[in-house]
Amino acid sequence: VPKSPRWLMMKGKENEAKKINKKYAKEGQNWDAYIAYKTKGLEKAVQLAKKNRRKKPNLPKYYFELGRYSLLAKNYKLAESALDRAYEMALEQDEVWLRIDHYALLIALYTITGTKSTEDFMEKALKLDAKNTWIILASLYSEMDEWEQTMNAAKEALELSPERQDVLLAQAKAQAGLGFHKEALKNYEKILQQQPQNGEVWLEKAQIYQALEEHVDAYKALEKALDTSNLFTLSRVKAKNLYTKPHAQLRDKKTTL
């Protein structure tokens, strides 16, 4: 699963998030190819990949990359085209390099679309590594806002690895997305016990308090979020907007802090 900078920030991995931002700023060919894939078709994207790489590209892996970003963009038609081609080419190479995250992409795609059975892919992934299969699926579904599937995968992952912070985060986001606010708050509390300076989690917590109309706690969480140094720019703007929201009820509540 591609680890987005925001996802890494919410896990408390600020340095890794910054490295990814720098990488894509310096090496634009993956994003150029992705744009070409969406606008001019798959063959144009592959030609661009060949031109930009010093060595002949490993096309199955490149197709998986295209399918990965198409899936996260919820462009299922493009994702299926790329992932089917990737898997077909991988089979021709005896699947020697297929990893759990490759199977997870196929499992997620066909679980969501229902166009193919996931049984074979799931069996192979679980045989390789059951724990990491569920961890990867929980994170992938969470990135896609597929909350029911996130909950199912997170439950399996936490049974095998109860203290995984990233899985707790995925589960909390799913709980919030499904309206289970109290349960989400409990998970965010667990994460903040280990990562008290995680501004992204404080912001998520503040938004739940606002949904529950617990405005005093919402403002406290927003203050915590704004006091951290690891909020992304857009998240900081969002937190400031929420903090200064000009509703009389919220302003009155703020004076009690």
Side-chain angles (χ1 to χ4, degrees):
V1 180
K3 298 178 177 64
S4 71
R6 183 176 183 276
W7 184 83
L8 288 166
M9 280 289 219
M10 292 191 70
K11 285 185 63 183
K13 298 185 177 182
E14 183 178 356
N15 291 335
E16 192 172 342
K18 288 179 178 177
K19 285 180 182 178
I20 288 180
N21 278 333
K22 289 180 180 178
K23 174 185 175 183
Y24 286 119
K26 285 183 67 178
E27 302 174 9
Q29 66 260 33
N30 284 341
W31 289 112
D32 290 342
Y34 173 63
I35 292 168
Y37 174 61
K38 294 189 72 174
T39 59
K40 298 182 181 179
L42 189 56
E43 291 306 317
K44 177 66 177 177
V46 172
Q47 290 172 15
L48 182 58
K50 291 178 180 179
K51 183 178 178 181
N52 281 337
R53 292 177 181 227
R54 293 180 180 177
K55 298 179 180 180
K56 185 178 179 180
N58 186 319
L59 289 180
K61 290 184 179 180
Y62 187 71
Y63 276 111
F64 269 118
E65 188 80 354
L66 293 172
R68 185 193 307 270
Y69 286 103
S70 298
L71 182 60
L72 289 176
K74 297 191 176 183
N75 193 331
Y76 301 129
K77 184 177 180 180
L78 292 176
E80 185 168 359
S81 173
L83 291 175
D84 276 353
R85 182 63 175 145
Y87 192 64
E88 179 184 323
M89 295 177 76
L91 290 177
E92 294 173 0
Q93 298 180 10
D94 298 323
E95 298 182 84
V96 292
W97 51 265
L98 278 174
R99 303 190 307 268
I100 296 169
D101 54 321
H102 297 131
Y103 288 119
L105 290 169
L106 292 158
I107 293 166
L109 172 65
Y110 295 122
T111 297
I112 293 167
T113 63
T115 54
K116 286 186 181 180
S117 171
T118 63
E119 185 177 348
D120 183 52
F121 301 131
M122 183 66 81
E123 182 180 346
K124 290 178 179 179
L126 293 176
K127 186 176 180 181
L128 282 173
D129 188 334
K131 180 178 72 174
N132 281 312
T133 293
W134 291 117
I135 289 171
I136 291 170
L137 282 171
S139 296
L140 178 58
Y141 286 131
S142 179
E143 285 285 311
M144 298 170 66
D145 296 344
E146 295 287 344
W147 302 132
E148 292 284 357
Q149 298 299 334
T150 302
M151 290 288 287
N152 293 336
K155 179 182 177 182
E156 297 286 346
L158 289 171
E159 286 182 359
L160 297 171
S161 186
E163 301 303 320
R164 286 285 303 217
Q165 296 286 298
D166 51 347
V167 180
L168 284 174
L169 176 60
Q171 187 181 63
K173 289 177 68 178
Q175 288 166 334
L178 293 169
F180 302 131
H181 295 120
K182 295 295 185 181
E183 292 84 351
L185 284 173
K186 289 179 182 178
N187 271 336
Y188 284 135
E189 283 292 342
K190 290 179 183 178
I191 296 168
L192 288 169
Q193 286 174 8
Q194 300 296 320
Q195 304 172 30
Q197 294 301 310
N198 193 322
E200 296 289 337
V201 175
W202 279 114
L203 178 56
E204 294 280 347
K205 190 176 177 182
Q207 292 176 96
I208 292 178
Y209 280 132
Q210 286 202 329
L212 294 171
E213 297 187 353
E214 296 179 11
H215 303 299
V216 174
D217 288 331
Y219 268 107
K220 289 179 180 178
L222 286 169
E223 286 181 335
K224 289 283 191 180
L226 290 168
D227 282 344
T228 65
S229 60
N230 62 0
L231 271 179
F232 278 110
T233 301
L234 290 178
S235 295
R236 188 167 294 278
V237 170
K238 185 175 185 179
K240 287 180 178 178
N241 287 340
L242 290 172
Y243 191 76
T244 59
K245 196 172 183 180
H247 292 305
Q249 183 183 25
L250 301 187
R251 289 202 306 272
D252 292 344
K253 291 290 185 181
K254 183 175 183 293
T255 60
T256 67
L257 290 176

